[in-house]
Amino acid sequence: MHLLSPVLRLRLLVRRSEIWLVAIASMIGVAAGLAQAAISSAAHGLQQLLFGLSGDERLSAVSGSLGELALFVPLVGGAILVPIAWLVKRNGRRLVDPIEANALHGGHLSFYDSLIITLQTVVSNGFGASVGLEAAYAQMGGAFGSKLSAFLHARRSDMRLLLGCGAGAAIAAAFQAPLAGAFYAFELVIGTYSIAALAPVMAASIAATFVSGWLTDYHGNQLGALPQIDVNTFAALMGLAVVTALFSVALMLLVSETEKLFTRLRIPALVRPLVGGAVLAIAVAFTPFVLSSGHGALQAVLEEPPASLWLLVFMIGAKMVASAVSLGSGFRGGLFFASLFVGALIGLAYFHVLEIVAPGMVADGRVAAFAGMTGLAAAVVGGPLTMVFLTLEDTGSLSLAITMLAVAAVSSVLIRQFFGYSFATWRFHQRGETIRSAHDIGLIRSLTVGRMMRRDIRTARSGITVRTFQRDFPLGASKQVVVVDDAGAYVGMALMPEIYALDAEMLDRPLDEFLALKDAALTPEMSARQAAQLFEDRSSDALAVVTDRSSNQVLGMLSESYLLRRYAEELDKVRMDMSGVDRRPPGRR
């Protein structure tokens, strides 16, 4: 008991004090920073070992030949992923990422599953697949947040918040950009911004940034001063925002169509990484800049942009195809880093075109590159403010960041209006989920008919007369009575006002002739929204609940008024959690 007391006291402190919640978030940030540094070092260490890189050399920035043995590295990586995928499939459980965990599962994220996703991502990136490590960073950061909040028995809202703290902190550590990491958490993982969430999220992001920076010695881009943005440049970059929105749709559809191509070719899912590895061997031989996440190649093109427009067009197409093949064939990773690289290439190509049609409209190609990065990543990732703050923290230019805000806004509006999804939510859509963000729809989904129905109901037997029914069920006893047969199966609903309005000569007729809603009943697994729709379609105040429509065994009854009240209560809880309102009684705050 003495050993448990400090733990119990800590749980109470975290529940009652925002200061302690911030302290816990800082601890999660430290863990996320350590995880990010370890994952990055592991992936880069694999690349050094397998491709013969020097200490500071990046795979995507290699200028010379990688050697003949390097051709087989992606194929070996695909072979390693096959048994991992087989074990996951055998387990029968779908792996969940932080966005889905917060949207559907109230912040519960399996630590074991997160380790599997991280292993798959490190193998994919380390063996040269054209994917980023951000999936592993956010996964492990979120897993630490979820695990610690579960240990502390945190409320659902706090668990979602701490998971977001961990995921955002890991992204902050990766880019050494605490503001970008914090808004990654708000926009993508938590789903909303609130004042109550600001301190924990920022504390986690700052802690992770310091820890990772101390361990990895990251210095960011060294680009020198960038020119101020004038009206002509601003107008030109708005056109670039439209272009990046179009390319973002093309990139997401390309990944989707690649997966469909593997399906049409009837290539088993477990074998696809081998096929993808074989295709990536071509990239090792001819286009090494498309390998891995593209960090090194991005730094190279920003410091010394390619002089040829056609070379830029080729690089854009090659990187998009390599990323689509990698993800479509079963390699694990994200498109965040890839979208930054492709966006920079699109911006530089756009700058070349402008120099032909309107020379001098944009003074520096690097400005167009940053606009391309912001526009494409904001649309693909779904985090416009994340990209704006990343630009601000990377360049230190406020005028550029303000312009990037407009670019991100235009790109995001276009993608939401004409496509409707970011890459993460597009993948959910393909799977049949209706997740459009990390908002907590799981709480509403868990409100099923089975949870709300009344089981203590009186039923009438089918076959009795109206007179017998009126004797057994006096007027005013209830508004409606469920009628069942001898086997307990649902027959219909006797509506009391209608039954008592019958003429005297009808009292000896069978009750079954006057039943309503004979073919309308709810089932326990129905969601509140589905039940509300059935109430509206049938214009009924109450409906019977049956096991299923084949056996029709009556379990209980649910009224429309109770359904709407419970639904409103759950929505109110979600709104209060989103706004940061404290729902505890005043005496316990």
Side-chain angles (χ1 to χ4, degrees), residues 443-457:
L443 188 61
I444 302 299
R445 282 193 180 184
S446 66
L447 192 64
T448 60
V449 169
R451 287 182 56 192
M452 294 183 289
M453 68 179 182
R454 284 180 50 202
R455 294 182 179 271
D456 55 335
I457 61 170

mmCIF file with all atom_site columns, all heavy atoms in Angstrom, residues 443-457:
data_model
loop_
_atom_site.group_PDB
_atom_site.id
_atom_site.type_symbol
_atom_site.label_atom_id
_atom_site.label_alt_id
_atom_site.label_comp_id
_atom_site.label_asym_id
_atom_site.label_entity_id
_atom_site.label_seq_id
_atom_site.pdbx_PDB_ins_code
_atom_site.Cartn_x
_atom_site.Cartn_y
_atom_site.Cartn_z
_atom_site.occupancy
_atom_site.B_iso_or_equiv
_atom_site.pdbx_formal_charge
_atom_site.auth_seq_id
_atom_site.auth_comp_id
_atom_site.auth_asym_id
_atom_site.auth_atom_id
_atom_site.pdbx_PDB_model_num
ATOM 1   N N   . LEU A 1 443 ? -16.208 8.865  -29.391 1.00 0.00 ? 443 LEU A N   1
ATOM 2   C CA  . LEU A 1 443 ? -17.132 8.978  -28.264 1.00 0.00 ? 443 LEU A CA  1
ATOM 3   C C   . LEU A 1 443 ? -18.574 8.918  -28.748 1.00 0.00 ? 443 LEU A C   1
ATOM 4   O O   . LEU A 1 443 ? -19.427 8.287  -28.125 1.00 0.00 ? 443 LEU A O   1
ATOM 5   C CB  . LEU A 1 443 ? -16.872 10.291 -27.522 1.00 0.00 ? 443 LEU A CB  1
ATOM 6   C CG  . LEU A 1 443 ? -17.618 10.495 -26.204 1.00 0.00 ? 443 LEU A CG  1
ATOM 7   C CD1 . LEU A 1 443 ? -17.226 9.424  -25.207 1.00 0.00 ? 443 LEU A CD1 1
ATOM 8   C CD2 . LEU A 1 443 ? -17.338 11.877 -25.640 1.00 0.00 ? 443 LEU A CD2 1
ATOM 9   N N   . ILE A 1 444 ? -18.851 9.570  -29.876 1.00 0.00 ? 444 ILE A N   1
ATOM 10  C CA  . ILE A 1 444 ? -20.200 9.544  -30.436 1.00 0.00 ? 444 ILE A CA  1
ATOM 11  C C   . ILE A 1 444 ? -20.507 8.168  -31.015 1.00 0.00 ? 444 ILE A C   1
ATOM 12  O O   . ILE A 1 444 ? -21.609 7.643  -30.865 1.00 0.00 ? 444 ILE A O   1
ATOM 13  C CB  . ILE A 1 444 ? -20.349 10.633 -31.518 1.00 0.00 ? 444 ILE A CB  1
ATOM 14  C CG1 . ILE A 1 444 ? -20.055 12.020 -30.919 1.00 0.00 ? 444 ILE A CG1 1
ATOM 15  C CG2 . ILE A 1 444 ? -21.735 10.604 -32.120 1.00 0.00 ? 444 ILE A CG2 1
ATOM 16  C CD1 . ILE A 1 444 ? -20.977 12.411 -29.795 1.00 0.00 ? 444 ILE A CD1 1
ATOM 17  N N   . ARG A 1 445 ? -19.510 7.566  -31.679 1.00 0.00 ? 445 ARG A N   1
ATOM 18  C CA  . ARG A 1 445 ? -19.730 6.241  -32.263 1.00 0.00 ? 445 ARG A CA  1
ATOM 19  C C   . ARG A 1 445 ? -20.011 5.189  -31.194 1.00 0.00 ? 445 ARG A C   1
ATOM 20  O O   . ARG A 1 445 ? -20.721 4.221  -31.440 1.00 0.00 ? 445 ARG A O   1
ATOM 21  C CB  . ARG A 1 445 ? -18.506 5.817  -33.077 1.00 0.00 ? 445 ARG A CB  1
ATOM 22  C CG  . ARG A 1 445 ? -18.409 6.473  -34.436 1.00 0.00 ? 445 ARG A CG  1
ATOM 23  C CD  . ARG A 1 445 ? -17.363 5.770  -35.263 1.00 0.00 ? 445 ARG A CD  1
ATOM 24  N NE  . ARG A 1 445 ? -17.228 6.365  -36.578 1.00 0.00 ? 445 ARG A NE  1
ATOM 25  C CZ  . ARG A 1 445 ? -16.434 5.879  -37.527 1.00 0.00 ? 445 ARG A CZ  1
ATOM 26  N NH1 . ARG A 1 445 ? -15.715 4.807  -37.285 1.00 0.00 ? 445 ARG A NH1 1
ATOM 27  N NH2 . ARG A 1 445 ? -16.357 6.467  -38.700 1.00 0.00 ? 445 ARG A NH2 1
ATOM 28  N N   . SER A 1 446 ? -19.410 5.367  -30.015 1.00 0.00 ? 446 SER A N   1
ATOM 29  C CA  . SER A 1 446 ? -19.616 4.379  -28.954 1.00 0.00 ? 446 SER A CA  1
ATOM 30  C C   . SER A 1 446 ? -21.012 4.469  -28.353 1.00 0.00 ? 446 SER A C   1
ATOM 31  O O   . SER A 1 446 ? -21.419 3.599  -27.585 1.00 0.00 ? 446 SER A O   1
ATOM 32  C CB  . SER A 1 446 ? -18.567 4.570  -27.849 1.00 0.00 ? 446 SER A CB  1
ATOM 33  O OG  . SER A 1 446 ? -18.752 5.818  -27.192 1.00 0.00 ? 446 SER A OG  1
ATOM 34  N N   . LEU A 1 447 ? -21.749 5.518  -28.701 1.00 0.00 ? 447 LEU A N   1
ATOM 35  C CA  . LEU A 1 447 ? -23.111 5.683  -28.191 1.00 0.00 ? 447 LEU A CA  1
ATOM 36  C C   . LEU A 1 447 ? -24.056 4.868  -29.075 1.00 0.00 ? 447 LEU A C   1
ATOM 37  O O   . LEU A 1 447 ? -24.655 5.370  -30.015 1.00 0.00 ? 447 LEU A O   1
ATOM 38  C CB  . LEU A 1 447 ? -23.493 7.168  -28.208 1.00 0.00 ? 447 LEU A CB  1
ATOM 39  C CG  . LEU A 1 447 ? -24.761 7.564  -27.456 1.00 0.00 ? 447 LEU A CG  1
ATOM 40  C CD1 . LEU A 1 447 ? -24.606 7.291  -25.977 1.00 0.00 ? 447 LEU A CD1 1
ATOM 41  C CD2 . LEU A 1 447 ? -25.080 9.025  -27.702 1.00 0.00 ? 447 LEU A CD2 1
ATOM 42  N N   . THR A 1 448 ? -24.191 3.592  -28.766 1.00 0.00 ? 448 THR A N   1
ATOM 43  C CA  . THR A 1 448 ? -24.994 2.687  -29.583 1.00 0.00 ? 448 THR A CA  1
ATOM 44  C C   . THR A 1 448 ? -26.369 2.469  -28.959 1.00 0.00 ? 448 THR A C   1
ATOM 45  O O   . THR A 1 448 ? -26.608 2.792  -27.791 1.00 0.00 ? 448 THR A O   1
ATOM 46  C CB  . THR A 1 448 ? -24.288 1.331  -29.729 1.00 0.00 ? 448 THR A CB  1
ATOM 47  O OG1 . THR A 1 448 ? -24.099 0.765  -28.428 1.00 0.00 ? 448 THR A OG1 1
ATOM 48  C CG2 . THR A 1 448 ? -22.939 1.494  -30.407 1.00 0.00 ? 448 THR A CG2 1
ATOM 49  N N   . VAL A 1 449 ? -27.245 1.886  -29.749 1.00 0.00 ? 449 VAL A N   1
ATOM 50  C CA  . VAL A 1 449 ? -28.593 1.564  -29.269 1.00 0.00 ? 449 VAL A CA  1
ATOM 51  C C   . VAL A 1 449 ? -28.520 0.614  -28.078 1.00 0.00 ? 449 VAL A C   1
ATOM 52  O O   . VAL A 1 449 ? -29.277 0.742  -27.105 1.00 0.00 ? 449 VAL A O   1
ATOM 53  C CB  . VAL A 1 449 ? -29.424 0.950  -30.412 1.00 0.00 ? 449 VAL A CB  1
ATOM 54  C CG1 . VAL A 1 449 ? -30.731 0.361  -29.880 1.00 0.00 ? 449 VAL A CG1 1
ATOM 55  C CG2 . VAL A 1 449 ? -29.704 1.997  -31.480 1.00 0.00 ? 449 VAL A CG2 1
ATOM 56  N N   . GLY A 1 450 ? -27.599 -0.343 -28.127 1.00 0.00 ? 450 GLY A N   1
ATOM 57  C CA  . GLY A 1 450 ? -27.463 -1.299 -27.034 1.00 0.00 ? 450 GLY A CA  1
ATOM 58  C C   . GLY A 1 450 ? -27.141 -0.642 -25.707 1.00 0.00 ? 450 GLY A C   1
ATOM 59  O O   . GLY A 1 450 ? -27.540 -1.139 -24.642 1.00 0.00 ? 450 GLY A O   1
ATOM 60  N N   . ARG A 1 451 ? -26.404 0.478  -25.742 1.00 0.00 ? 451 ARG A N   1
ATOM 61  C CA  . ARG A 1 451 ? -26.057 1.187  -24.512 1.00 0.00 ? 451 ARG A CA  1
ATOM 62  C C   . ARG A 1 451 ? -27.217 2.021  -23.985 1.00 0.00 ? 451 ARG A C   1
ATOM 63  O O   . ARG A 1 451 ? -27.279 2.313  -22.788 1.00 0.00 ? 451 ARG A O   1
ATOM 64  C CB  . ARG A 1 451 ? -24.853 2.099  -24.756 1.00 0.00 ? 451 ARG A CB  1
ATOM 65  C CG  . ARG A 1 451 ? -23.526 1.384  -24.897 1.00 0.00 ? 451 ARG A CG  1
ATOM 66  C CD  . ARG A 1 451 ? -22.413 2.386  -25.083 1.00 0.00 ? 451 ARG A CD  1
ATOM 67  N NE  . ARG A 1 451 ? -22.382 3.357  -23.985 1.00 0.00 ? 451 ARG A NE  1
ATOM 68  C CZ  . ARG A 1 451 ? -21.663 4.477  -24.008 1.00 0.00 ? 451 ARG A CZ  1
ATOM 69  N NH1 . ARG A 1 451 ? -20.946 4.774  -25.067 1.00 0.00 ? 451 ARG A NH1 1
ATOM 70  N NH2 . ARG A 1 451 ? -21.680 5.298  -22.980 1.00 0.00 ? 451 ARG A NH2 1
ATOM 71  N N   . MET A 1 452 ? -28.125 2.435  -24.860 1.00 0.00 ? 452 MET A N   1
ATOM 72  C CA  . MET A 1 452 ? -29.164 3.383  -24.458 1.00 0.00 ? 452 MET A CA  1
ATOM 73  C C   . MET A 1 452 ? -30.535 2.751  -24.221 1.00 0.00 ? 452 MET A C   1
ATOM 74  O O   . MET A 1 452 ? -31.393 3.356  -23.585 1.00 0.00 ? 452 MET A O   1
ATOM 75  C CB  . MET A 1 452 ? -29.299 4.473  -25.533 1.00 0.00 ? 452 MET A CB  1
ATOM 76  C CG  . MET A 1 452 ? -28.082 5.362  -25.674 1.00 0.00 ? 452 MET A CG  1
ATOM 77  S SD  . MET A 1 452 ? -28.340 6.672  -26.899 1.00 0.00 ? 452 MET A SD  1
ATOM 78  C CE  . MET A 1 452 ? -28.314 5.714  -28.422 1.00 0.00 ? 452 MET A CE  1
ATOM 79  N N   . MET A 1 453 ? -30.779 1.552  -24.706 1.00 0.00 ? 453 MET A N   1
ATOM 80  C CA  . MET A 1 453 ? -32.132 0.990  -24.663 1.00 0.00 ? 453 MET A CA  1
ATOM 81  C C   . MET A 1 453 ? -32.558 0.621  -23.242 1.00 0.00 ? 453 MET A C   1
ATOM 82  O O   . MET A 1 453 ? -31.734 0.369  -22.366 1.00 0.00 ? 453 MET A O   1
ATOM 83  C CB  . MET A 1 453 ? -32.191 -0.258 -25.548 1.00 0.00 ? 453 MET A CB  1
ATOM 84  C CG  . MET A 1 453 ? -31.380 -1.422 -25.019 1.00 0.00 ? 453 MET A CG  1
ATOM 85  S SD  . MET A 1 453 ? -31.512 -2.861 -26.091 1.00 0.00 ? 453 MET A SD  1
ATOM 86  C CE  . MET A 1 453 ? -30.531 -4.055 -25.182 1.00 0.00 ? 453 MET A CE  1
ATOM 87  N N   . ARG A 1 454 ? -33.868 0.596  -23.036 1.00 0.00 ? 454 ARG A N   1
ATOM 88  C CA  . ARG A 1 454 ? -34.468 0.104  -21.786 1.00 0.00 ? 454 ARG A CA  1
ATOM 89  C C   . ARG A 1 454 ? -34.762 -1.380 -21.938 1.00 0.00 ? 454 ARG A C   1
ATOM 90  O O   . ARG A 1 454 ? -35.359 -1.814 -22.919 1.00 0.00 ? 454 ARG A O   1
ATOM 91  C CB  . ARG A 1 454 ? -35.774 0.836  -21.492 1.00 0.00 ? 454 ARG A CB  1
ATOM 92  C CG  . ARG A 1 454 ? -35.627 2.237  -20.963 1.00 0.00 ? 454 ARG A CG  1
ATOM 93  C CD  . ARG A 1 454 ? -37.006 2.822  -20.718 1.00 0.00 ? 454 ARG A CD  1
ATOM 94  N NE  . ARG A 1 454 ? -37.838 1.903  -19.933 1.00 0.00 ? 454 ARG A NE  1
ATOM 95  C CZ  . ARG A 1 454 ? -39.172 1.924  -19.922 1.00 0.00 ? 454 ARG A CZ  1
ATOM 96  N NH1 . ARG A 1 454 ? -39.825 2.784  -20.696 1.00 0.00 ? 454 ARG A NH1 1
ATOM 97  N NH2 . ARG A 1 454 ? -39.846 1.079  -19.169 1.00 0.00 ? 454 ARG A NH2 1
ATOM 98  N N   . ARG A 1 455 ? -34.371 -2.156 -20.946 1.00 0.00 ? 455 ARG A N   1
ATOM 99  C CA  . ARG A 1 455 ? -34.625 -3.597 -20.993 1.00 0.00 ? 455 ARG A CA  1
ATOM 100 C C   . ARG A 1 455 ? -35.867 -3.997 -20.184 1.00 0.00 ? 455 ARG A C   1
ATOM 101 O O   . ARG A 1 455 ? -36.452 -5.046 -20.432 1.00 0.00 ? 455 ARG A O   1
ATOM 102 C CB  . ARG A 1 455 ? -33.411 -4.367 -20.471 1.00 0.00 ? 455 ARG A CB  1
ATOM 103 C CG  . ARG A 1 455 ? -32.173 -4.219 -21.361 1.00 0.00 ? 455 ARG A CG  1
ATOM 104 C CD  . ARG A 1 455 ? -31.016 -5.037 -20.828 1.00 0.00 ? 455 ARG A CD  1
ATOM 105 N NE  . ARG A 1 455 ? -29.841 -4.920 -21.686 1.00 0.00 ? 455 ARG A NE  1
ATOM 106 C CZ  . ARG A 1 455 ? -29.580 -5.712 -22.720 1.00 0.00 ? 455 ARG A CZ  1
ATOM 107 N NH1 . ARG A 1 455 ? -30.428 -6.684 -23.028 1.00 0.00 ? 455 ARG A NH1 1
ATOM 108 N NH2 . ARG A 1 455 ? -28.487 -5.540 -23.447 1.00 0.00 ? 455 ARG A NH2 1
ATOM 109 N N   . ASP A 1 456 ? -36.245 -3.158 -19.216 1.00 0.00 ? 456 ASP A N   1
ATOM 110 C CA  . ASP A 1 456 ? -37.368 -3.505 -18.333 1.00 0.00 ? 456 ASP A CA  1
ATOM 111 C C   . ASP A 1 456 ? -38.685 -3.035 -18.950 1.00 0.00 ? 456 ASP A C   1
ATOM 112 O O   . ASP A 1 456 ? -39.288 -2.057 -18.512 1.00 0.00 ? 456 ASP A O   1
ATOM 113 C CB  . ASP A 1 456 ? -37.170 -2.881 -16.957 1.00 0.00 ? 456 ASP A CB  1
ATOM 114 C CG  . ASP A 1 456 ? -36.968 -1.377 -17.034 1.00 0.00 ? 456 ASP A CG  1
ATOM 115 O OD1 . ASP A 1 456 ? -36.520 -0.893 -18.094 1.00 0.00 ? 456 ASP A OD1 1
ATOM 116 O OD2 . ASP A 1 456 ? -37.272 -0.686 -16.045 1.00 0.00 ? 456 ASP A OD2 1
ATOM 117 N N   . ILE A 1 457 ? -39.114 -3.713 -19.978 1.00 0.00 ? 457 ILE A N   1
ATOM 118 C CA  . ILE A 1 457 ? -40.355 -3.320 -20.653 1.00 0.00 ? 457 ILE A CA  1
ATOM 119 C C   . ILE A 1 457 ? -41.381 -4.450 -20.545 1.00 0.00 ? 457 ILE A C   1
ATOM 120 O O   . ILE A 1 457 ? -41.030 -5.634 -20.486 1.00 0.00 ? 457 ILE A O   1
ATOM 121 C CB  . ILE A 1 457 ? -40.103 -2.988 -22.142 1.00 0.00 ? 457 ILE A CB  1
ATOM 122 C CG1 . ILE A 1 457 ? -39.558 -4.209 -22.887 1.00 0.00 ? 457 ILE A CG1 1
ATOM 123 C CG2 . ILE A 1 457 ? -39.166 -1.806 -22.283 1.00 0.00 ? 457 ILE A CG2 1
ATOM 124 C CD1 . ILE A 1 457 ? -39.516 -4.034 -24.386 1.00 0.00 ? 457 ILE A CD1 1
#
